[in-house]
Amino acid sequence: MAETDKKKSVFLRESSGLVREVSPWSSMMATFGLVTGGVPILIISWLWLAPGIDWPVSYLITLVPTLSMAFLFYVAGVSMPRSGGDYVFNSRAIHPAVGFINYFGLFIAFALSLGLYSYLGARWFAYLFSGLGMYYGSSSLLSLGSFFSGTVGSVMTGIAIVAISTVISFYTKALWKFILLSGALSLITTFIMFAFLTTIHPAQLASSLSSFTGIHGAYKEVITNAESNGLSFVPNPILSAFLGIPVIWYFYTWYNLPASWSGEMKSVKKNVLYSVIIAIVLIGAYYILFTQLNLDAFGERFLTSWGYISCNGVSDPVYSSLSSISTFTPFFALISTGNVAMYFVMFIALWLPNFYSNPPLIIALTRYMFAWSFDRIFPEWFANVNSRLHVPVNSTALVAVLGMIGVAMYAFVPFISIVDVTVIFEVSYAVFALSIALMPFLKRSLYEGSVPASIRRKVLGVPVVSWLGILTFGFLMYALAITWGNPILLPINTPTIASLAAIYTAGALIYVGSYLSTKKKGIEPQLIFKEIPPE
């Protein structure tokens, strides 16, 4: 009875009010969308960052430390299956200030990403209609493409995406069914796309590109122009495979998010396994196939040159005539084969994960705020749960507002567009890895009381999680060092440094303010973080 009274005084209430209704398959499909959404365009656009390397080998090399990091998030999810589970684990692993400030930064990065990817959501329709407009010679379709690529069209579409995603997020049962069905449709269309790509040969594109643009030898012109403007391919594709690590590591991120809704998972161990570990293996296979099949279909040197011209503003007559489709490869498939139906299938395969990933991102962001409220860092109203919907409505509404503000900021505030938050993902993952590595030594009793015995194995007297945590931390520091200052992957400028300082300072001030406020209420803050929040 005394223990119950203690929990009542420390935490807001005895129950979270949330319901365990998320299936393993729904979680796994959510991860697929969150990680891969928008990445296919980046893959083609950034081939030139490691031109000519053996991409499958590079994906496999990077998959090893990624799986190590994924295992650490798996440990967090199964050890403390609560809302904001990875934050809850991080805040109790070494010190609550470290956990909160680390995840506050990650929260801001994800919130900005919600605004950015919603704003860029219009680009998919710009590619779709511009491609069709050029193929059919239709001014109406070209105008529609121009609308979606313009500021007004992007803002309207972005706000609509946030609004639709928020409405879906209010109805969790329908939400997870929507994610499951969307994920299944994405995989089906992806399989069809992959099979279709195997039927295309670079010679087809070379021929059709010349006839379509009216430029003789257009295919070779693109390659020659890129190489004459500084593009050079590596001499040994396999030995140079490590050059792709910084790019591919970024492609793999966001797989921590399923741990944030682990408090609502059915069959937690199976669910976290599917949504974090197995999902990353599936995504690794997807990236390898997508990259290699596109290279085989359209030619590695051509696609690498096309991305180089696109990203570096190289003047090229072929690219200039088709610039509205950027690196949207379904258009190359369209002019190579004339198959309009497959053009739409490929569009769905690439666009749908980018769209259906928004609702689970909103869910993740609200669950972090929910957890902070339970830990008395954020006000109580962030943890208010609607008894009928079983959703923290206040947190969800706030995330929606943040998303819409983010859309407007990317459209009308030039400053925000040059701020890069990629560094936050690398730092946050590294801090988490180091925290879990030190937990068995700094918080031994909590470690032994929460982490399953099957995971608490030792090698040479040191816990396996400590070995993996230190090695993963080292890899992330290496990746950060070789990426730091890269103008494409990690541009470090004064606005970015100032923004990072402001974000982490704000997190520290919020934590200190909540600490003092909690003590004034007669509650010892340290007691909160010695326990796991109630279900």
Side-chain angles (χ1 to χ4, degrees), residues 442-496:
L442 299 181
K443 297 292 181 71
R444 182 175 177 178
S445 59
L446 184 59
Y447 169 76
E448 293 179 347
S450 59
V451 178
S454 58
I455 297 174
R456 297 198 313 270
R457 298 179 183 275
K458 295 183 178 181
V459 175
L460 300 177
V462 177
V464 170
V465 294
S466 296
W467 284 113
L468 292 176
I470 290 296
L471 291 172
T472 305
F473 174 79
F475 166 79
L476 290 172
M477 289 296 96
Y478 163 75
L480 182 62
I482 64 175
T483 313
W484 189 268
N486 184 299
I488 300 298
L489 296 176
L490 200 63
I492 301 301
N493 47 49
T494 300
T496 294

Short mmCIF file of all heavy atoms in Angstrom, two decimals, residues 442-496:
data_model
loop_
_atom_site.label_atom_id
_atom_site.label_comp_id
_atom_site.label_asym_id
_atom_site.label_seq_id
_atom_site.Cartn_x
_atom_site.Cartn_y
_atom_site.Cartn_z
N LEU A 442 26.43 2.35 -13.92
CA LEU A 442 25.96 3.52 -13.17
C LEU A 442 24.60 3.30 -12.53
O LEU A 442 24.31 3.89 -11.48
CB LEU A 442 25.89 4.74 -14.11
CG LEU A 442 27.21 5.17 -14.76
CD1 LEU A 442 26.98 6.40 -15.64
CD2 LEU A 442 28.27 5.46 -13.70
N LYS A 443 23.75 2.49 -13.12
CA LYS A 443 22.40 2.22 -12.59
C LYS A 443 22.18 0.70 -12.58
O LYS A 443 21.24 0.20 -13.19
CB LYS A 443 21.35 2.91 -13.46
CG LYS A 443 21.45 4.43 -13.46
CD LYS A 443 21.08 5.01 -12.11
CE LYS A 443 21.15 6.52 -12.12
NZ LYS A 443 20.08 7.14 -12.90
N ARG A 444 23.03 0.02 -11.86
CA ARG A 444 23.04 -1.44 -11.90
C ARG A 444 21.71 -2.05 -11.45
O ARG A 444 21.19 -2.97 -12.10
CB ARG A 444 24.17 -1.97 -11.01
CG ARG A 444 24.29 -3.48 -11.01
CD ARG A 444 25.49 -3.93 -10.22
NE ARG A 444 25.57 -5.39 -10.17
CZ ARG A 444 26.55 -6.05 -9.56
NH1 ARG A 444 27.53 -5.38 -8.95
NH2 ARG A 444 26.55 -7.37 -9.56
N SER A 445 21.15 -1.55 -10.35
CA SER A 445 19.92 -2.15 -9.83
C SER A 445 18.76 -1.98 -10.80
O SER A 445 17.98 -2.91 -11.02
CB SER A 445 19.56 -1.54 -8.47
OG SER A 445 19.37 -0.14 -8.59
N LEU A 446 18.65 -0.79 -11.40
CA LEU A 446 17.58 -0.55 -12.37
C LEU A 446 17.81 -1.38 -13.63
O LEU A 446 16.87 -1.93 -14.21
CB LEU A 446 17.52 0.94 -12.73
CG LEU A 446 16.38 1.37 -13.66
CD1 LEU A 446 15.03 1.03 -13.05
CD2 LEU A 446 16.47 2.86 -13.95
N TYR A 447 19.07 -1.50 -14.04
CA TYR A 447 19.42 -2.31 -15.20
C TYR A 447 19.01 -3.76 -14.99
O TYR A 447 18.36 -4.37 -15.85
CB TYR A 447 20.92 -2.19 -15.46
CG TYR A 447 21.46 -3.18 -16.48
CD1 TYR A 447 21.26 -2.99 -17.84
CD2 TYR A 447 22.18 -4.31 -16.07
CE1 TYR A 447 21.76 -3.88 -18.78
CE2 TYR A 447 22.69 -5.20 -17.00
CZ TYR A 447 22.48 -4.99 -18.34
OH TYR A 447 22.97 -5.89 -19.26
N GLU A 448 19.36 -4.30 -13.84
CA GLU A 448 19.05 -5.71 -13.56
C GLU A 448 17.57 -5.93 -13.32
O GLU A 448 17.04 -7.02 -13.55
CB GLU A 448 19.86 -6.19 -12.37
CG GLU A 448 21.37 -6.23 -12.65
CD GLU A 448 22.17 -6.69 -11.44
OE1 GLU A 448 21.60 -6.72 -10.32
OE2 GLU A 448 23.37 -6.99 -11.61
N GLY A 449 16.88 -4.88 -12.87
CA GLY A 449 15.46 -5.02 -12.58
C GLY A 449 14.55 -4.80 -13.77
O GLY A 449 13.38 -5.17 -13.73
N SER A 450 15.06 -4.19 -14.83
CA SER A 450 14.21 -3.87 -15.98
C SER A 450 14.61 -4.59 -17.27
O SER A 450 13.74 -5.00 -18.04
CB SER A 450 14.23 -2.35 -16.23
OG SER A 450 15.54 -1.89 -16.48
N VAL A 451 15.90 -4.75 -17.50
CA VAL A 451 16.36 -5.40 -18.73
C VAL A 451 16.22 -6.92 -18.59
O VAL A 451 16.69 -7.49 -17.60
CB VAL A 451 17.82 -5.03 -19.04
CG1 VAL A 451 18.31 -5.75 -20.28
CG2 VAL A 451 17.96 -3.52 -19.22
N PRO A 452 15.56 -7.59 -19.54
CA PRO A 452 15.37 -9.04 -19.45
C PRO A 452 16.69 -9.79 -19.28
O PRO A 452 17.73 -9.38 -19.83
CB PRO A 452 14.72 -9.39 -20.80
CG PRO A 452 14.03 -8.14 -21.21
CD PRO A 452 14.91 -7.03 -20.74
N ALA A 453 16.64 -10.88 -18.52
CA ALA A 453 17.85 -11.66 -18.23
C ALA A 453 18.52 -12.18 -19.50
O ALA A 453 19.74 -12.28 -19.57
CB ALA A 453 17.50 -12.83 -17.31
N SER A 454 17.70 -12.50 -20.51
CA SER A 454 18.26 -13.03 -21.76
C SER A 454 19.13 -12.01 -22.48
O SER A 454 19.98 -12.37 -23.30
CB SER A 454 17.13 -13.47 -22.69
OG SER A 454 16.25 -12.38 -22.97
N ILE A 455 18.95 -10.73 -22.17
CA ILE A 455 19.72 -9.67 -22.80
C ILE A 455 20.94 -9.30 -21.95
O ILE A 455 21.93 -8.79 -22.48
CB ILE A 455 18.84 -8.43 -23.05
CG1 ILE A 455 17.71 -8.77 -24.04
CG2 ILE A 455 19.65 -7.25 -23.58
CD1 ILE A 455 16.71 -7.66 -24.24
N ARG A 456 20.86 -9.61 -20.65
CA ARG A 456 21.93 -9.18 -19.75
C ARG A 456 23.13 -10.14 -19.76
O ARG A 456 23.82 -10.32 -18.76
CB ARG A 456 21.41 -9.07 -18.32
CG ARG A 456 20.33 -8.03 -18.12
CD ARG A 456 20.14 -7.65 -16.66
NE ARG A 456 20.06 -8.79 -15.76
CZ ARG A 456 18.95 -9.41 -15.42
NH1 ARG A 456 17.80 -9.01 -15.94
NH2 ARG A 456 18.96 -10.45 -14.59
N ARG A 457 23.42 -10.70 -20.89
CA ARG A 457 24.57 -11.60 -21.01
C ARG A 457 25.86 -10.80 -21.03
O ARG A 457 25.88 -9.61 -21.38
CB ARG A 457 24.44 -12.47 -22.27
CG ARG A 457 23.21 -13.37 -22.27
CD ARG A 457 23.13 -14.18 -23.55
NE ARG A 457 21.93 -14.99 -23.59
CZ ARG A 457 21.82 -16.22 -23.05
NH1 ARG A 457 22.87 -16.75 -22.43
NH2 ARG A 457 20.70 -16.89 -23.14
N LYS A 458 26.96 -11.49 -20.69
CA LYS A 458 28.26 -10.82 -20.64
C LYS A 458 29.26 -11.53 -21.54
O LYS A 458 29.18 -12.73 -21.76
CB LYS A 458 28.79 -10.79 -19.20
CG LYS A 458 27.95 -9.95 -18.24
CD LYS A 458 28.58 -9.90 -16.85
CE LYS A 458 27.78 -9.02 -15.90
NZ LYS A 458 28.40 -8.96 -14.55
N VAL A 459 30.20 -10.76 -22.05
CA VAL A 459 31.34 -11.27 -22.81
C VAL A 459 32.60 -10.69 -22.18
O VAL A 459 32.72 -9.47 -22.06
CB VAL A 459 31.25 -10.88 -24.30
CG1 VAL A 459 32.51 -11.32 -25.03
CG2 VAL A 459 30.02 -11.51 -24.94
N LEU A 460 33.48 -11.56 -21.72
CA LEU A 460 34.71 -11.14 -21.01
C LEU A 460 34.38 -10.29 -19.79
O LEU A 460 35.08 -9.33 -19.44
CB LEU A 460 35.62 -10.37 -21.95
CG LEU A 460 36.11 -11.13 -23.20
CD1 LEU A 460 36.96 -10.21 -24.08
CD2 LEU A 460 36.90 -12.37 -22.79
N GLY A 461 33.25 -10.65 -19.15
CA GLY A 461 32.86 -9.96 -17.93
C GLY A 461 32.15 -8.63 -18.13
O GLY A 461 31.78 -7.98 -17.16
N VAL A 462 31.95 -8.23 -19.38
CA VAL A 462 31.30 -6.95 -19.68
C VAL A 462 29.97 -7.23 -20.38
O VAL A 462 29.92 -8.05 -21.30
CB VAL A 462 32.20 -6.08 -20.59
CG1 VAL A 462 31.48 -4.78 -20.96
CG2 VAL A 462 33.52 -5.78 -19.90
N PRO A 463 28.88 -6.58 -19.95
CA PRO A 463 27.58 -6.80 -20.59
C PRO A 463 27.62 -6.57 -22.10
O PRO A 463 28.30 -5.65 -22.58
CB PRO A 463 26.67 -5.78 -19.90
CG PRO A 463 27.30 -5.54 -18.57
CD PRO A 463 28.79 -5.63 -18.82
N VAL A 464 26.88 -7.41 -22.82
CA VAL A 464 26.83 -7.29 -24.28
C VAL A 464 26.35 -5.91 -24.70
O VAL A 464 26.89 -5.32 -25.65
CB VAL A 464 25.90 -8.38 -24.87
CG1 VAL A 464 25.65 -8.12 -26.35
CG2 VAL A 464 26.50 -9.76 -24.67
N VAL A 465 25.36 -5.35 -23.97
CA VAL A 465 24.85 -4.02 -24.34
C VAL A 465 25.93 -2.95 -24.20
O VAL A 465 25.93 -1.95 -24.94
CB VAL A 465 23.60 -3.64 -23.51
CG1 VAL A 465 22.43 -4.56 -23.82
CG2 VAL A 465 23.91 -3.62 -22.02
N SER A 466 26.86 -3.17 -23.28
CA SER A 466 27.95 -2.20 -23.12
C SER A 466 28.93 -2.29 -24.28
O SER A 466 29.39 -1.26 -24.81
CB SER A 466 28.68 -2.44 -21.79
OG SER A 466 27.83 -2.22 -20.70
N TRP A 467 29.24 -3.50 -24.70
CA TRP A 467 30.10 -3.68 -25.86
C TRP A 467 29.47 -3.02 -27.09
O TRP A 467 30.12 -2.24 -27.81
CB TRP A 467 30.34 -5.16 -26.15
CG TRP A 467 31.31 -5.84 -25.25
CD1 TRP A 467 31.05 -6.82 -24.34
CD2 TRP A 467 32.74 -5.62 -25.18
NE1 TRP A 467 32.20 -7.23 -23.70
CE2 TRP A 467 33.25 -6.50 -24.20
CE3 TRP A 467 33.61 -4.75 -25.82
CZ2 TRP A 467 34.60 -6.55 -23.87
CZ3 TRP A 467 34.96 -4.79 -25.50
CH2 TRP A 467 35.44 -5.67 -24.54
N LEU A 468 28.20 -3.35 -27.34
CA LEU A 468 27.51 -2.81 -28.51
C LEU A 468 27.36 -1.30 -28.42
O LEU A 468 27.51 -0.58 -29.41
CB LEU A 468 26.14 -3.47 -28.68
CG LEU A 468 26.15 -4.95 -29.06
CD1 LEU A 468 24.72 -5.49 -29.10
CD2 LEU A 468 26.83 -5.16 -30.41
N GLY A 469 27.06 -0.81 -27.22
CA GLY A 469 26.89 0.63 -27.04
C GLY A 469 28.15 1.41 -27.33
O GLY A 469 28.13 2.43 -28.03
N ILE A 470 29.29 0.93 -26.81
CA ILE A 470 30.56 1.61 -27.03
C ILE A 470 30.97 1.55 -28.50
O ILE A 470 31.40 2.55 -29.09
CB ILE A 470 31.67 0.99 -26.14
CG1 ILE A 470 31.42 1.33 -24.67
CG2 ILE A 470 33.04 1.48 -26.57
CD1 ILE A 470 31.49 2.81 -24.36
N LEU A 471 30.84 0.37 -29.11
CA LEU A 471 31.21 0.23 -30.52
C LEU A 471 30.32 1.09 -31.42
O LEU A 471 30.81 1.73 -32.37
CB LEU A 471 31.12 -1.24 -30.94
CG LEU A 471 32.18 -2.18 -30.32
CD1 LEU A 471 31.86 -3.63 -30.66
CD2 LEU A 471 33.58 -1.80 -30.79
N THR A 472 29.04 1.12 -31.12
CA THR A 472 28.12 1.93 -31.92
C THR A 472 28.39 3.42 -31.72
O THR A 472 28.35 4.21 -32.67
CB THR A 472 26.65 1.61 -31.55
OG1 THR A 472 26.42 0.20 -31.69
CG2 THR A 472 25.69 2.36 -32.46
N PHE A 473 28.67 3.79 -30.48
CA PHE A 473 29.03 5.18 -30.20
C PHE A 473 30.26 5.59 -31.00
O PHE A 473 30.31 6.67 -31.60
CB PHE A 473 29.29 5.35 -28.70
CG PHE A 473 29.80 6.71 -28.32
CD1 PHE A 473 28.94 7.79 -28.21
CD2 PHE A 473 31.16 6.92 -28.06
CE1 PHE A 473 29.41 9.06 -27.86
CE2 PHE A 473 31.65 8.17 -27.72
CZ PHE A 473 30.77 9.24 -27.62
N GLY A 474 31.26 4.70 -31.03
CA GLY A 474 32.47 4.98 -31.79
C GLY A 474 32.19 5.14 -33.28
O GLY A 474 32.73 6.05 -33.93
N PHE A 475 31.33 4.28 -33.82
CA PHE A 475 30.97 4.38 -35.24
C PHE A 475 30.28 5.70 -35.52
O PHE A 475 30.58 6.36 -36.54
CB PHE A 475 30.06 3.22 -35.65
CG PHE A 475 29.39 3.44 -36.97
CD1 PHE A 475 30.07 3.22 -38.15
CD2 PHE A 475 28.06 3.89 -37.04
CE1 PHE A 475 29.45 3.45 -39.38
CE2 PHE A 475 27.45 4.11 -38.25
CZ PHE A 475 28.15 3.89 -39.43
N LEU A 476 29.34 6.10 -34.65
CA LEU A 476 28.60 7.33 -34.88
C LEU A 476 29.51 8.57 -34.78
O LEU A 476 29.33 9.54 -35.51
CB LEU A 476 27.44 7.44 -33.88
CG LEU A 476 26.31 6.43 -34.12
CD1 LEU A 476 25.31 6.47 -32.97
CD2 LEU A 476 25.61 6.71 -35.43
N MET A 477 30.48 8.51 -33.89
CA MET A 477 31.44 9.61 -33.82
C MET A 477 32.29 9.67 -35.09
O MET A 477 32.61 10.75 -35.59
CB MET A 477 32.33 9.45 -32.59
CG MET A 477 31.63 9.70 -31.26
SD MET A 477 31.04 11.43 -31.08
CE MET A 477 29.32 11.29 -31.60
N TYR A 478 32.64 8.50 -35.61
CA TYR A 478 33.38 8.44 -36.87
C TYR A 478 32.53 9.01 -38.01
O TYR A 478 33.00 9.83 -38.81
CB TYR A 478 33.78 6.99 -37.17
CG TYR A 478 34.19 6.74 -38.60
CD1 TYR A 478 35.44 7.16 -39.08
CD2 TYR A 478 33.33 6.09 -39.49
CE1 TYR A 478 35.81 6.94 -40.40
CE2 TYR A 478 33.70 5.86 -40.81
CZ TYR A 478 34.94 6.29 -41.26
OH TYR A 478 35.31 6.08 -42.57
N ALA A 479 31.27 8.58 -38.07
CA ALA A 479 30.37 9.06 -39.13
C ALA A 479 30.17 10.56 -39.03
O ALA A 479 30.14 11.28 -40.05
CB ALA A 479 29.03 8.33 -39.05
N LEU A 480 30.05 11.07 -37.80
CA LEU A 480 29.87 12.51 -37.60
C LEU A 480 31.12 13.27 -38.05
O LEU A 480 31.02 14.31 -38.70
CB LEU A 480 29.58 12.79 -36.13
CG LEU A 480 29.32 14.26 -35.75
CD1 LEU A 480 28.09 14.79 -36.47
CD2 LEU A 480 29.15 14.40 -34.23
N ALA A 481 32.29 12.73 -37.73
CA ALA A 481 33.55 13.40 -38.06
C ALA A 481 33.75 13.50 -39.58
O ALA A 481 34.13 14.55 -40.09
CB ALA A 481 34.72 12.66 -37.42
N ILE A 482 33.46 12.41 -40.30
CA ILE A 482 33.72 12.43 -41.74
C ILE A 482 32.60 13.14 -42.51
O ILE A 482 32.75 13.45 -43.69
CB ILE A 482 33.91 11.00 -42.31
CG1 ILE A 482 32.64 10.16 -42.17
CG2 ILE A 482 35.09 10.32 -41.65
CD1 ILE A 482 32.74 8.79 -42.80
N THR A 483 31.47 13.39 -41.83
CA THR A 483 30.35 14.08 -42.48
C THR A 483 30.33 15.56 -42.15
O THR A 483 29.74 16.36 -42.86
CB THR A 483 29.01 13.45 -42.05
OG1 THR A 483 29.10 12.03 -42.14
CG2 THR A 483 27.86 13.90 -42.96
N TRP A 484 30.97 15.93 -41.05
CA TRP A 484 30.91 17.30 -40.53
C TRP A 484 31.34 18.31 -41.60
O TRP A 484 32.42 18.20 -42.18
CB TRP A 484 31.81 17.43 -39.31
CG TRP A 484 31.67 18.75 -38.58
CD1 TRP A 484 32.39 19.88 -38.79
CD2 TRP A 484 30.75 19.04 -37.54
NE1 TRP A 484 31.99 20.87 -37.94
CE2 TRP A 484 30.98 20.39 -37.15
CE3 TRP A 484 29.75 18.31 -36.89
CZ2 TRP A 484 30.25 21.01 -36.15
CZ3 TRP A 484 29.03 18.94 -35.89
CH2 TRP A 484 29.27 20.26 -35.52
N GLY A 485 30.48 19.27 -41.87
CA GLY A 485 30.81 20.31 -42.84
C GLY A 485 30.50 19.96 -44.28
O GLY A 485 30.65 20.80 -45.16
N ASN A 486 30.07 18.69 -44.54
CA ASN A 486 29.71 18.33 -45.91
C ASN A 486 28.55 19.21 -46.37
O ASN A 486 27.51 19.25 -45.72
CB ASN A 486 29.31 16.85 -45.97
CG ASN A 486 29.02 16.37 -47.38
OD1 ASN A 486 28.13 16.85 -48.04
ND2 ASN A 486 29.80 15.39 -47.83
N PRO A 487 28.71 19.94 -47.48
CA PRO A 487 27.68 20.90 -47.90
C PRO A 487 26.33 20.28 -48.23
O PRO A 487 25.31 20.98 -48.26
CB PRO A 487 28.30 21.58 -49.13
CG PRO A 487 29.29 20.59 -49.65
CD PRO A 487 29.83 19.91 -48.43
N ILE A 488 26.31 18.98 -48.49
CA ILE A 488 25.05 18.31 -48.82
C ILE A 488 24.50 17.55 -47.61
O ILE A 488 23.34 17.71 -47.23
CB ILE A 488 25.25 17.32 -49.99
CG1 ILE A 488 25.75 18.06 -51.22
CG2 ILE A 488 23.95 16.59 -50.30
CD1 ILE A 488 24.80 19.11 -51.77
N LEU A 489 25.33 16.72 -46.98
CA LEU A 489 24.87 15.84 -45.90
C LEU A 489 24.79 16.54 -44.56
O LEU A 489 23.87 16.31 -43.78
CB LEU A 489 25.81 14.63 -45.78
CG LEU A 489 25.86 13.70 -46.98
CD1 LEU A 489 26.88 12.60 -46.74
CD2 LEU A 489 24.49 13.09 -47.23
N LEU A 490 25.77 17.37 -44.25
CA LEU A 490 25.80 17.99 -42.92
C LEU A 490 26.42 19.38 -43.02
O LEU A 490 27.52 19.63 -42.52
CB LEU A 490 26.61 17.12 -41.96
CG LEU A 490 26.37 17.36 -40.46
CD1 LEU A 490 24.92 17.03 -40.11
CD2 LEU A 490 27.31 16.50 -39.63
N PRO A 491 25.71 20.30 -43.67
CA PRO A 491 26.25 21.65 -43.79
C PRO A 491 26.27 22.37 -42.45
O PRO A 491 25.23 22.54 -41.81
CB PRO A 491 25.29 22.33 -44.77
CG PRO A 491 24.01 21.58 -44.63
CD PRO A 491 24.40 20.17 -44.31
N ILE A 492 27.44 22.73 -41.99
CA ILE A 492 27.57 23.41 -40.71
C ILE A 492 27.80 24.89 -40.98
O ILE A 492 28.82 25.29 -41.54
CB ILE A 492 28.73 22.83 -39.88
CG1 ILE A 492 28.50 21.34 -39.63
CG2 ILE A 492 28.87 23.57 -38.56
CD1 ILE A 492 27.22 21.01 -38.88
N ASN A 493 26.82 25.72 -40.61
CA ASN A 493 26.90 27.15 -40.81
C ASN A 493 26.48 27.86 -39.53
O ASN A 493 26.04 27.23 -38.56
CB ASN A 493 26.02 27.57 -41.99
CG ASN A 493 24.64 26.94 -41.92
OD1 ASN A 493 23.99 27.00 -40.88
ND2 ASN A 493 24.18 26.32 -43.00
N THR A 494 26.61 29.15 -39.52
CA THR A 494 26.29 29.93 -38.31
C THR A 494 24.84 29.74 -37.87
O THR A 494 24.58 29.52 -36.68
CB THR A 494 26.59 31.42 -38.54
OG1 THR A 494 27.98 31.57 -38.86
CG2 THR A 494 26.26 32.23 -37.30
N PRO A 495 23.84 29.80 -38.78
CA PRO A 495 22.46 29.55 -38.34
C PRO A 495 22.26 28.17 -37.73
O PRO A 495 21.51 28.02 -36.76
CB PRO A 495 21.66 29.70 -39.65
CG PRO A 495 22.49 30.60 -40.49
CD PRO A 495 23.91 30.23 -40.19
N THR A 496 22.94 27.15 -38.29
CA THR A 496 22.79 25.80 -37.74
C THR A 496 23.38 25.72 -36.33
O THR A 496 22.76 25.18 -35.41
CB THR A 496 23.48 24.77 -38.66
OG1 THR A 496 22.78 24.72 -39.91
CG2 THR A 496 23.45 23.38 -38.03
#
